[in-house]
Amino acid sequence: MRKNQDGRGATISDVTLRVVTAYLSNNALPHSSVPPLLATVHGALSALADRPTAAEAPPEQPNAAQIRGSVRENGIVSFIDGRSYKTMKRHLTAHGLTPDLYRARYGLPDDYPMTAPGYAERRSEIARAIRLGRKAA
């Protein structure tokens, strides 16, 4: 959150006041409705602040059979959402992870692939066919 003038982070009450002030600057409301609005917004923000985040709850660790089964010829099954991907890089980035963090989070071995074997082989064949990586004669 933003820092206040005294250097501390904004409290829920500070944020509540800013939200309600912004709302009231654009909407007409009877004076008697302001206290319930403050209470409702404060309650909603408090509930959000008290809710545990996904980073706090440790993910379920897959067993060895699940790890072996997640590597398929045409896709790697993600332990995040259960979907199959040819490459995991973009999927992991969208979830704020690197391959190393993903492996650590789910207890995967260091040599766990991030690209489907079949896809990697096809890309390798294409590279060999166009003589990629060879010096021109």
Side-chain angles (χ1 to χ4, degrees):
M1 293 216 143
R2 299 169 105 175
K3 298 279 185 188
N4 285 342
Q5 291 176 347
D6 60 2
R8 64 181 175 85
T11 64
I12 293 175
S13 296
D14 295 334
V15 175
T16 300
L17 187 59
R18 279 190 260 154
V19 168
V20 171
T21 302
Y23 179 79
L24 292 175
S25 69
N26 294 312
N27 297 285
L29 212 63
H31 295 293
S32 61
S33 298
V34 174
L37 177 63
L38 281 166
T40 303
V41 172
H42 189 273
L45 292 174
S46 295
L48 286 174
D50 294 339
R51 199 171 59 168
T53 63
E56 293 173 6
E60 188 175 313
Q61 296 290 316
N63 60 37
Q66 290 172 320
I67 293 172
R68 281 191 308 274
S70 69
V71 180
R72 299 180 181 162
E73 185 64 21
N74 293 321
I76 304 288
V77 177
S78 169
F79 291 110
I80 297 171
D81 63 4
R83 294 178 54 198
S84 180
Y85 297 91
K86 289 181 183 178
T87 64
M88 296 286 288
K89 181 79 169 162
R90 185 176 291 163
H91 170 62
L92 295 178
T93 302
H95 290 279
L97 295 171
T98 65
D100 290 333
L101 287 174
Y102 177 73
R103 288 181 183 116
R105 175 181 280 182
Y106 292 100
L108 303 172
D110 292 337
D111 63 346
Y112 185 82
M114 292 292 134
T115 304
Y119 181 72
E121 183 58 35
R122 282 192 305 276
R123 300 302 299 173
S124 182
E125 288 170 8
I126 292 169
R128 280 193 295 271
I130 63 172
R131 302 179 57 84
L132 192 65
R134 300 198 187 225
K135 293 187 179 196

